[in-house]
């Protein structure tokens, strides 16, 4: 149906700077009804910034902004909402203390003649909406009590069913498991049939190619390409994104991959019969020095809880845990850190101090190594600068408040804080979530380097690619129990999915 | 490399005056309030802007200042301590209880050497602070409730020690620090200044100070960074209680007597000083510098109202309104900062 239609949204020559730094330079962007428009680009390329302009979050910028051909200027996100624009932000923006139902109806709860909230009706309708999307939760539970992936799904559902005609999804699939991604795509296609315009941002190029009609590539604040999805390929897109050949980064893990001979180096962590109410059942495994152990499973399979137990944030109901042969019951995360365990959780919000500069974020977990009483800010900055350089964090300014970094760069800072004095056991939850292809590759290299230095590393992920790209041995976790171990044998994405 | 980095930083910082001012609102607003109040009272009363009166103001805010040092730590951690005034009171009473009183004072007290009396009193307030700390961190009672209970407990101990009587004598060292002066400067002002300076140095230059800010800024992230959050929270509760205790001992010497309910107004004054100064009630922002400005705002306000001719009952209302205004600014400063960071 490639007839010429006028776009419902058109941006011309958009330039946006934060202070002196230009995040967008002269970008043109058009969106048509009944279109799914994919957006790709490196971390910090300006994708989120452009979308926040469309959604009325950033109101100061230069350039023309037209809706249905009429010049418009939003003064707030509320204006954008009134114009039929809804957005799922990269950073989860739910209200954790409200119930699921309240979150679904945030801002327009059904009320009766007296203006009182109709709880029963709200709960029923919320339940129905979520069920249509394949989510089965009690609408009256507190949202914050649900796993982060489920929270993300609920937020997506809220936006998709808000009746908006322009829907923006900024990295919505980062916490979802394959079946959920499937369901999301089906819903997107249905909305497209109904005439909505959808923007879909992702670092998963295959997903972009699969679901979108048009792809736009950003680099360094500029739009560098716009093509029909059918007319491009993964390699071409990566090349446009990073400006060099992307062959090495193209691996898609559909073919069998041979896992190496199992190692017989020292056991760093031994977990025996670990259990936690309904989340984990008799989980036992070992992690060895110089080995990357991957733990794969769908969202809600107990990965999150397992990682928290290893870092002393949760206490198991039963089972034991030993580090280098010594039994441990961690009374606090501080005790776990002292025992040589480090954790990078999947949520940046939980891990980082957004109002503090980058260097304080990097140094916080090693302060006791560099100072006994008095702080040594120069040394802190030097350490941070080295990490920023090694991980290629952009912009490379350690004095900048963390909140000013793009999502992917924040993720790198979360990793950076453990690298100066590497622990014995490093637990990484979704280590490459939100990172562009180049950065993912950097992380793979860093993890391999740490492995070579003799660390035991555990990678927990709901993305098969992440586990396959990093792990030497893979455990599959299903509803709280370990159901399969892959070692010294061929493994592929399909085999993993099958086991989970 | 280094020069390009500074250029980058410069570019990021050169974001115009308006956003900068917006992000600094928390520090600027209290300062403007102080200047405005001072100018107003100087204009309204000739006796206000004198060197003598400055000395008065300093002396008047000293006890509040000493107590507010510890409270600043607590509020930076996004907790609250409602037991400060009661702990000040019980510590002041304790130090008198352990001192030999005149025969007409009808208290069954336990006279001890001065140094022992002081040490025991400090141990007492530290112990009460420790109870606060354990309630908050081990049992998990919110600080608001825990310290509310402690407020009663400390008042109860005070009541048992003095049984409605008034004691007058405290150890010589405490008398000197509380009511003596050296070359014209009251010792109590010097002690308050030293404690404020000490608090500032700890918060700004030590590892512990950084932890306090980080725990207040994002407690979850502090935990995920492997900080012992409970230990830090416990420590600030003890620091707060000890500062209150010192303020209480010197206060008793300053007033010349130790009795029940002597410090009641200091609870609100200390909280007001910290918050009016711009330290965020949500934690992580502010510091002793803010508290000092807050102390002066409060001191100038209380003192200045005595210099102008208005209904003394109206004064209470005016104080309340000014505190409300400062609180509104405190909450707005947080929002403006978030906007500026957008
Ligand atoms: N509030 C802010 N203040 C200052 N700079 C900002 C702010 N928000 C974004 N930037 C900068 O603008 C640039 C573009 O950021 P943006 O968030 O749009 O990137 P992105 O393409 O979404 O990247 P990612 O894939 O990592 O999410 C980055 O250099 C970032 O540091
Ligand atoms: Mg982004």
């Amino acid at each position: 149906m490639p007839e010429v239609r006028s776009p419902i949204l058109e941006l011309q020559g958009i330039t946006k700077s934060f202070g002196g730094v230009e995040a967008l330079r002269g970008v043109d962007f058009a969106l048509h009804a009944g279109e799914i428009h994919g957006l790709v680009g490196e971390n910090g390329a300006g994708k989120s910034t452009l979308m926040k302009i469309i959604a009325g979050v950033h109101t100061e910028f230069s350039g023309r902004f037209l809706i249905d051909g009429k010049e418009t200027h939003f003064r707030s996100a509320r204006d954008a909402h009134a114009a039929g624009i809804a957005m799922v932000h990269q950073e989860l923006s739910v209200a954790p203390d409200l119930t699921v139902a309240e979150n679904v109806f945030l801002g327009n709860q059904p009320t009766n003649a007296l203006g009182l909230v109709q709880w029963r009706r709200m709960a029923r309708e919320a339940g129905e909406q979520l069920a249509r999307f394949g989510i089965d939760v009690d609408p009256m539970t507190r949202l914050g009590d649900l796993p982060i992936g489920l929270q993300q799904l609920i937020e997506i559902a809220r936006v998709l069913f808000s009746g908006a005609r322009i829907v923006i999804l900024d990295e919505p699939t980062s916490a979802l498991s394959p079946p959920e991604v499937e369901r999301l795509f089906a819903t997107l296609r249905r909305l497209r049939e109904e005439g909505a315009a959808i923007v879909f941002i992702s670092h998963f190029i295959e997903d972009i190619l699969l679901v979108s009609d048009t792809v736009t590539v950003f680099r360094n604040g500029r739009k560098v390409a716009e093509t029909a999805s059918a007319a491009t390929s993964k390699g071409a897109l990566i090349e446009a994104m990073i400006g060099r050949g992307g062959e090495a980064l193209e691996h898609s893990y559909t073919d069998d991959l041979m896992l190496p001979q199992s190692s017989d180096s020292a056991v760093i962590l031994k977990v025996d019969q670990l259990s936690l109410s309904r989340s984990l059942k008799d989980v036992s495994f070992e992690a060895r020095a110089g080995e990357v152990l991957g733990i794969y499973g769908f969202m809600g399979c107990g990965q999150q809880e397992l990682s928290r137990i290893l870092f002393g944030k949760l206490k198991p109901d039963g089972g034991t845990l030993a580090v280098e042969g010594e039994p441990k019951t961690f009374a606090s995360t501080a005790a776990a850190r002292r025992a040589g365990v480090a954790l990078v959780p999947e949520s940046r919000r939980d891990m980082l101090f957004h109002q503090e500069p980058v260097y304080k974020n990097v140094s916080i977990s090693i302060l006791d190594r560099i100072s006994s009483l008095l702080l040594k800010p120069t040394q802190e900055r030097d350490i941070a600068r080295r990490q920023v350089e090694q991980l290629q964090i952009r912009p490379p300014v350690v004095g900048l408040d963390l909140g000013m970094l793009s999502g992917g760069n924040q993720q790198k800072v979360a990793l950076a804080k453990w690298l100066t004095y590497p622990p014995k056991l490093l637990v990484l939850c979704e280590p490459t979530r939100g990172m562009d292809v180049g950065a993912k590759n950097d992380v793979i290299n860093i993890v391999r380097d740490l492995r070579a230095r003799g660390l035991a590393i555990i990678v927990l992920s709901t993305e098969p690619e992440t586990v396959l790209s990093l792990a030497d041995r893979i455990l599959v976790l299903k509803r709280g129990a370990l159901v399969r171990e892959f070692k010294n044998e061929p493994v592929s994405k399909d085999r993993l999915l099958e086991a989970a | 490399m280094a020069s390009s980095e500074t250029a980058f930083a410069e570019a990021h910082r050169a974001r115009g005056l308006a956003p900068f001012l917006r992000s600094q609102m928390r520090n600027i607003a209290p300062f403007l309030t102080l200047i405005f109040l001072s100018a107003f009272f100087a204009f309204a009363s000739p006796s206000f802007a004198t060197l003598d009166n400055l000395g008065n103001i300093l002396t008047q805010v000293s006890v509040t200042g000493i107590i507010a040092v510890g409270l600043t730590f607590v509020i930076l951690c996004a907790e609250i301590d409602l037991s400060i005034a009661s702990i000040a009171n019980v510590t002041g009473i304790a130090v008198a209880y352990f001192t030999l009183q005149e025969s007409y004072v009808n208290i069954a007290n336990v006279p001890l050497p001065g140094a022992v009396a002081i040490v025991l009193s400090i141990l007492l307030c530290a112990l009460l602070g420790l109870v606060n700390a354990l309630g908050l961190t081990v049992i998990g009672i919110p600080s608001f409730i825990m310290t509310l209970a402690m407020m009663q407990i400390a008042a109860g101990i005070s009541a048992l020690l003095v049984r409605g009587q008034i004691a007058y004598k405290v150890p010589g060292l405490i008398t000197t620090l509380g009511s003596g002066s050296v070359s014209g400067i009251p010792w109590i002002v010097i002690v308050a200044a030293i404690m404020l300076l000490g608090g500032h140095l700890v918060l700004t230059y030590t590892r512990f100070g950084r932890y306090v800010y980080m725990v207040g800024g994002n407690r979850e992230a502090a935990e995920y960074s492997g900080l012992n959050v409970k230990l830090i929270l416990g420590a600030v509760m003890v620091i707060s209680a000890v500062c209150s205790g010192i303020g209480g001992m010197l206060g008793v010497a300053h007033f010349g007597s130790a009795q029940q309910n002597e410090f009641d107004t200091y609870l609100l004054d200390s909280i007001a000083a910290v918050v009016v100064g711009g330290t965020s009630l949500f934690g992580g922002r502010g510091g002793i510098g803010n508290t000092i400005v807050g102390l002066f705002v409060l001191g100038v306000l209380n003192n200045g109202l005595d210099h102008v001719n208005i209904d003394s009952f109206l004064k209470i209302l005016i104080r309340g309104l000014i505190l409300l205004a400062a609180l509104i600014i405190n909450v707005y400063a947080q929002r403006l900062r978030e906007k500026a960071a957008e």
Side-chain angles (χ1 to χ4, degrees):
Chain A
M1 38 166 141
E3 64 205 81
V4 184
R5 285 166 303 165
S6 54
I8 58 172
L9 173 82
E10 193 170 7
L11 307 181
Q12 294 171 356
I14 300 289
T15 296
K16 163 81 187 169
S17 50
F18 294 102
V21 176
E22 288 196 324
L24 292 172
R25 316 174 205 208
V27 172
D28 297 332
F29 185 76
L31 200 58
H32 299 265
E35 166 189 61
I36 300 180
H37 197 129
L39 228 56
V40 296
E42 281 186 292
N43 292 134
K47 306 178 295 291
S48 299
T49 305
L50 185 69
M51 293 306 114
K52 284 183 188 162
I53 286 176
I54 297 177
V57 177
H58 293 316
T59 52
E60 284 165 36
F61 57 90
S62 62
R64 270 157 59 87
F65 188 114
L66 299 106
I67 288 190
D68 298 321
K70 277 198 299 288
E71 181 120 26
T72 313
H73 191 102
F74 293 149
R75 265 158 303 148
S76 67
R78 193 179 290 246
D79 287 356
H81 200 81
I85 300 176
M87 174 165 177
V88 175
H89 287 272
Q90 186 172 9
E91 295 298 330
L92 205 58
S93 55
V94 293
D97 286 321
L98 299 185
T99 61
V100 170
E102 282 171 296
N103 268 284
V104 171
F105 281 98
L106 211 59
N108 53 350
Q109 293 158 329
T111 50
N112 62 15
L114 290 172
L116 296 175
V117 174
Q118 296 175 302
W119 277 97
R120 241 192 255 159
R121 182 172 146 215
M122 187 163 85
R124 193 186 62 236
E125 288 181 8
E128 282 167 12
Q129 273 194 16
L130 295 178
R132 261 173 78 193
F133 202 52
I135 305 172
D136 177 28
V137 291
D138 174 5
M140 300 311 281
T141 41
R142 205 182 77 100
L143 191 77
D145 292 337
L146 300 174
I148 194 144
L150 201 49
Q151 294 183 29
Q152 190 172 26
L153 264 183
I154 289 168
E155 186 179 4
I156 293 173
R158 168 170 71 91
V159 169
L160 291 186
F161 296 117
S162 66
R165 59 195 185 118
I166 298 179
V167 175
I168 301 170
L169 304 168
D170 194 349
E171 296 189 34
T173 58
S174 51
L176 305 186
S177 63
E180 284 148 2
V181 173
E182 273 309 304
R183 262 199 313 267
L184 172 64
F185 288 176
T187 313
L188 291 186
R189 292 192 183 102
R190 201 173 64 233
L191 286 175
R192 174 176 60 187
E193 299 311 309
E194 292 165 8
I198 297 164
V199 182
F200 180 71
I201 301 180
S202 177
H203 290 293
F204 299 108
I205 316 276
E206 282 138 351
D207 287 356
I208 292 267
L209 288 173
L210 184 70
V211 75
S212 60
D213 307 303
T214 316
V215 193
T216 293
V217 183
F218 276 79
R219 183 157 95 224
N220 238 333
R222 285 183 220 280
K223 183 166 114 178
V224 292
E226 177 171 352
T227 57
S229 311
T232 185
S233 70
K234 188 172 177 186
L237 284 181
I238 292 177
E239 189 164 343
M241 270 170 67
I242 63 179
R244 57 188 147 99
E247 301 79 28
L249 310 173
E250 262 188 87
H251 213 334
S252 55
Y253 302 104
T254 40
D255 304 332
D256 276 349
L257 183 86
M258 193 63 197
L259 290 175
Q261 285 280 319
S262 24
S263 97
D264 51 3
S265 53
V267 173
I268 299 288
L269 172 79
K270 189 168 163 52
V271 169
D272 204 26
Q273 304 273 308
L274 215 54
S275 62
L276 179 74
S277 62
R278 277 170 298 139
S279 308
L280 292 173
K281 286 185 285 280
D282 295 338
V283 171
S284 308
F285 63 89
E286 288 172 355
R288 291 172 183 276
E291 182 196 53
V292 180
L293 175 65
I295 299 185
Y296 172 77
F298 289 165
M299 195 185 80
C301 68
Q303 282 180 343
Q304 220 183 70
E305 290 79 4
L306 178 60
S307 67
R308 301 308 191 262
I309 290 174
L310 296 182
F311 193 54
K313 183 88 167 68
L314 274 182
K315 283 191 187 53
D317 298 335
T320 57
L321 213 154
V323 177
E324 288 187 319
E326 226 177 287
K328 300 272 182 194
T329 44
F330 296 134
S332 66
T333 57
R337 183 170 63 94
R338 269 196 304 277
V341 182
L343 169 73
V344 179
E346 60 290 315
S347 158
R348 289 184 281 274
R349 193 172 50 180
D350 290 349
M351 176 75 183
L352 297 168
F353 304 88
H354 288 253
Q355 295 197 349
E356 300 286 350
V358 169
Y359 80 90
K360 289 191 188 174
N361 274 284
V362 171
S363 66
I364 182 68
S365 33
I366 53 158
L367 275 182
D368 49 356
R369 302 273 199 135
I370 57 177
S371 77
S372 53
L373 177 67
L374 294 184
L375 292 169
K376 301 199 179 100
T378 350
Q379 205 176 334
E380 278 180 60
R381 280 168 181 271
D382 285 345
I383 287 175
R385 225 169 265 139
R386 268 204 302 279
Q387 296 301 342
V388 160
E389 200 172 324
Q390 196 191 346
L391 295 179
Q392 311 226 346
I393 294 170
R394 291 284 168 275
V397 185
V398 297
L400 212 59
D401 279 358
L402 184 97
M404 295 183 179
L405 266 53
S406 80
N409 282 299
Q410 292 182 10
Q411 184 77 25
K412 291 190 193 174
V413 174
L415 184 60
K417 63 200 282 184
W418 295 116
L419 299 187
T420 309
Y421 292 99
K424 290 176 198 152
L425 172 69
L426 179 60
V427 182
L428 302 171
C429 300
E430 308 291 357
T432 57
R433 172 177 298 173
M435 291 192 179
D436 63 51
V437 269
K440 274 182 186 163
N441 218 40
D442 292 344
V443 169
I444 293 175
N445 289 333
I446 289 163
V447 169
R448 296 214 170 117
D449 179 47
L450 292 171
R451 177 181 64 184
R453 283 154 74 179
L455 267 71
I457 300 167
I458 299 181
V459 174
L460 301 106
S461 180
T462 54
E463 298 166 12
E465 292 86 353
T466 306
V467 178
L468 289 167
S469 63
L470 289 165
D472 301 317
R473 185 159 62 91
I474 299 174
L475 301 174
V476 178
L477 197 59
K478 184 176 183 178
R479 284 197 218 101
L482 289 176
V483 292
R484 173 86 160 85
E485 176 173 15
F486 290 95
K487 60 174 179 190
N488 192 11
E489 65 187 292
V491 61
S492 69
K493 199 167 158 179
D494 288 340
R495 285 178 204 249
L496 273 187
L497 286 174
E498 213 170 290
Chain B
M1 164 77 225
S3 78
S4 84
E5 183 183 313
T6 38
F8 223 114
E10 221 89 283
H12 261 274
R13 234 172 268 129
R15 26 173 32 202
L17 197 59
F20 173 76
L21 288 182
R22 245 188 281 156
S23 69
Q24 289 298 312
M25 179 78 175
R26 143 174 338 282
N27 298 322
I28 296 167
F31 212 75
L32 289 182
T33 314
L34 177 60
I35 291 173
F36 170 78
L37 284 176
S38 306
F40 173 78
F41 287 122
F43 184 74
S45 153
S47 56
F48 176 77
T50 61
L51 210 55
D52 269 0
N53 195 40
L54 177 64
N56 288 338
I57 295 177
L58 287 177
T59 315
Q60 284 160 7
V61 299
S62 288
V63 174
T64 317
I66 294 170
I67 298 176
V69 173
L71 188 65
T72 306
F73 280 74
V74 175
I75 292 185
L76 278 176
C77 282
E79 296 290 347
I80 189 71
D81 188 346
L82 298 179
S83 61
I84 42 178
S86 289
I87 291 185
N89 204 353
V90 75
T91 315
I93 286 175
V95 83
Y97 183 84
F98 293 130
T99 308
L100 184 63
Q101 299 292 330
E102 304 288 354
S103 56
Y104 57 82
V105 175
N106 195 8
I107 298 176
N109 66 337
V110 187
L112 293 168
V116 181
I118 296 173
V119 169
L120 280 182
S121 305
I122 293 204
L123 282 181
L124 172 68
C125 62
L127 182 75
L128 296 180
L130 192 64
V131 174
N132 274 339
L134 294 178
L136 171 66
T137 60
V138 177
I139 309 178
I141 309 170
S143 59
F144 182 85
I145 309 289
M146 181 62 222
T147 58
L148 198 64
M150 180 52 71
M151 184 169 137
Q152 280 298 309
I153 294 170
I157 302 175
S158 300
L160 284 174
L161 288 180
V162 285
R163 296 186 169 271
Q165 302 294 310
I166 302 177
Y168 298 96
K169 276 257 187 311
V170 291
L173 174 66
I174 299 291
T175 312
T176 310
L177 292 182
S179 54
S181 56
V182 54
S183 54
I185 304 173
W187 269 112
I188 195 164
V189 173
I190 298 175
V191 173
I194 291 175
M195 289 191 54
L196 284 162
L197 179 68
H200 174 70
L201 295 178
V202 168
L203 280 175
T204 325
Y205 296 107
T206 68
R207 189 152 63 88
F208 175 70
R210 170 73 62 78
Y211 288 164
V212 167
Y213 278 101
M214 296 309 238
V215 166
N218 184 348
R219 189 167 298 180
E220 193 78 356
E223 219 171 313
Y224 278 116
S225 302
L227 301 194
N228 198 333
V229 172
K230 289 185 172 175
L231 191 67
I232 294 156
L233 290 179
V236 300
M237 296 315 286
V238 174
I239 290 174
S240 173
V242 170
C243 288
S244 302
I246 295 174
M249 289 195 290
L250 299 199
V252 161
H254 189 66
F255 307 139
S257 68
Q259 56 188 304
Q260 186 79 32
N261 296 347
E262 198 172 13
F263 286 82
D264 287 2
T265 58
Y266 284 85
L267 171 58
L268 275 182
D269 275 7
S270 309
I271 296 179
V274 175
V275 176
V276 167
T279 294
S280 168
L281 283 166
F282 307 105
R285 297 272 136 196
I288 297 288
N290 295 75
T291 300
I292 293 175
V293 176
L295 281 168
F296 274 107
V297 170
L298 232 61
V300 164
L301 186 61
N302 288 343
N303 176 285
L305 286 175
D306 289 338
H307 283 256
V308 293
N309 216 350
I310 40 172
D311 184 350
S312 57
F313 295 107
L314 185 62
K315 286 177 186 172
I316 304 177
L317 179 62
I318 292 179
R319 261 178 51 119
L321 290 177
I322 292 192
L323 291 186
L324 176 65
L327 275 177
I328 292 172
I329 292 173
N330 186 300
V331 173
Y332 261 95
Q334 182 76 17
R335 291 212 196 118
L336 284 178
R337 205 196 128 78
E338 275 160 16
K339 270 214 108 156
E342 174 231 86

